[in-house]
Amino acid sequence: MKLRFKVRWAGGAGQKETEGRAFDWDFEKGEQRLIAGKSKRAGFLLPHPTVSDEHFSVEPGKERYQVKDLGSLNGTCLNGGRLISNQWSPLAPGDVLSVGPFVISILDPKFDSSESGGACTKSFALELARQMLDSDPEERPSISVVKGPDKGTHFGLPLGHPVVIGRDPGCHLPVTDPDVSRRHAKIFCTLDGCWLSDLKSKNGVFVENRAITGAWKLEHGQHIKLGETVLVFIDNWRPRWSF
């Protein structure tokens, strides 16, 4: 017994809808119950803060599949109608679930030749997040220079790609502060958050006036000091799960 779930980011006003990605879930070979949410316990990861840790579940019934909202904060819609919390409803290929900004089409792999499917993995969730952030740049974590020669500079932080800050013009975020090393610091963002590292700079990296060693997980609103330059970390997204 296998279902295909095609997930797309519907976006909002002024935001583009994403193409979507699909994965297959085999209820005979895998878990009999598929839980969707943003928690590490969920088999179906939906990366957005409006999604509850365990949002809804799908499992085979006696004659057909069934879906249940797990008491989520923002609810689950089936074909446009909101599900009653903690009550099973029939689910079949052709149905559409709506969860936060996500639209999930239920498909039968035997009759859906246009999609290859695949596994619901961390990389699947990361790609969903990348599509979402590409469609809505305002959701991206970012840094802004609030003190120093480059005051007013704002830079959005991508997921899965390191951002190097330094005096070298080839850095992702070049600064003109003479007290900043050529390659001073690095920020790397994943689904689990954004991490700041010192790249063996001459004058060190400070977060809220504390010198950091190793990778430092940034929190929304924290100030980063490099030389005489101060940046503030802005996390509009702030996902609530860990891997």
Side-chain angles (χ1 to χ4, degrees):
M1 300 175 70
K2 184 184 292 187
L3 278 182
R4 178 165 295 168
F5 298 82
K6 184 173 182 180
V7 191
R8 56 186 172 84
W9 158 258
Q15 301 168 8
K16 64 181 181 180
E17 186 175 296
T18 63
E19 183 177 309
R21 287 176 61 83
F23 76 92
D24 293 343
W25 188 269
D26 192 328
F27 290 92
E28 292 182 344
K29 293 183 179 179
E31 295 289 336
Q32 287 294 305
R33 186 183 186 209
L34 173 61
I35 296 176
K38 68 175 188 292
S39 164
K40 64 181 180 181
R41 298 181 299 275
F44 182 1
L45 291 166
L46 292 171
H48 197 270
T50 61
V51 177
S52 296
D53 285 349
E54 294 187 359
H55 200 104
F56 72 86
S57 66
V58 175
E59 65 179 57
K62 291 182 179 180
E63 297 181 0
R64 62 179 70 184
Y65 295 98
Q66 52 189 6
V67 60
K68 177 171 65 176
D69 180 86
L70 298 174
S72 67
L73 181 64
N74 295 307
T76 304
C77 290
L78 173 61
N79 300 326
R82 184 160 177 158
L83 294 176
I84 298 172
S85 182
N86 293 309
Q87 181 173 307
W88 289 111
S89 296
L91 184 72
D95 286 339
V96 177
L97 295 168
S98 300
V99 176
F102 299 105
V103 176
I104 305 162
S105 299
I106 310 302
L107 306 169
D108 187 334
K110 292 184 292 185
F111 302 105
D112 182 44
S113 59
S114 63
E115 293 287 346
S116 60
C120 184
T121 61
K122 295 177 189 178
S123 61
F124 180 93
L126 180 60
E127 182 57 32
L128 281 180
R130 282 182 180 145
Q131 289 184 7
M132 179 187 72
L133 296 181
D134 285 345
S135 70
D136 184 8
E138 293 299 318
E139 290 273 1
R140 293 182 187 178
S142 61
I143 47 175
S144 291
V145 181
V146 295
K147 181 181 177 182
D150 305 284
K151 182 178 178 179
T153 300
H154 185 80
F155 189 87
L157 299 168
L159 285 182
H161 299 285
V163 170
V164 176
I165 308 167
R167 215 173 63 253
D168 190 321
C171 288
H172 301 95
L173 178 55
V175 294
T176 56
D177 184 347
D179 292 320
V180 171
S181 299
R182 292 185 64 81
R183 290 171 57 86
H184 197 110
K186 176 182 72 175
I187 299 177
F188 186 74
C189 294
T190 70
L191 289 176
D192 198 25
C194 293
W195 305 83
L196 173 68
S197 302
D198 187 345
L199 297 178
K200 299 181 179 179
S201 64
K202 180 179 179 181
N203 294 316
V205 176
F206 297 81
V207 176
E208 300 298 335
N209 297 316
R210 177 180 175 181
I212 70 165
T213 57
W216 177 283
K217 189 174 183 179
L218 291 167
E219 300 292 339
H220 176 70
Q222 285 188 327
H223 291 81
I224 305 164
K225 189 172 186 293
L226 315 175
E228 293 303 312
T229 295
V230 178
L231 309 97
V232 64
F233 174 69
I234 303 164
D235 190 356
N236 294 319
W237 191 30
R238 284 186 277 181
R240 293 286 184 260
W241 66 84
S242 60
F243 294 100

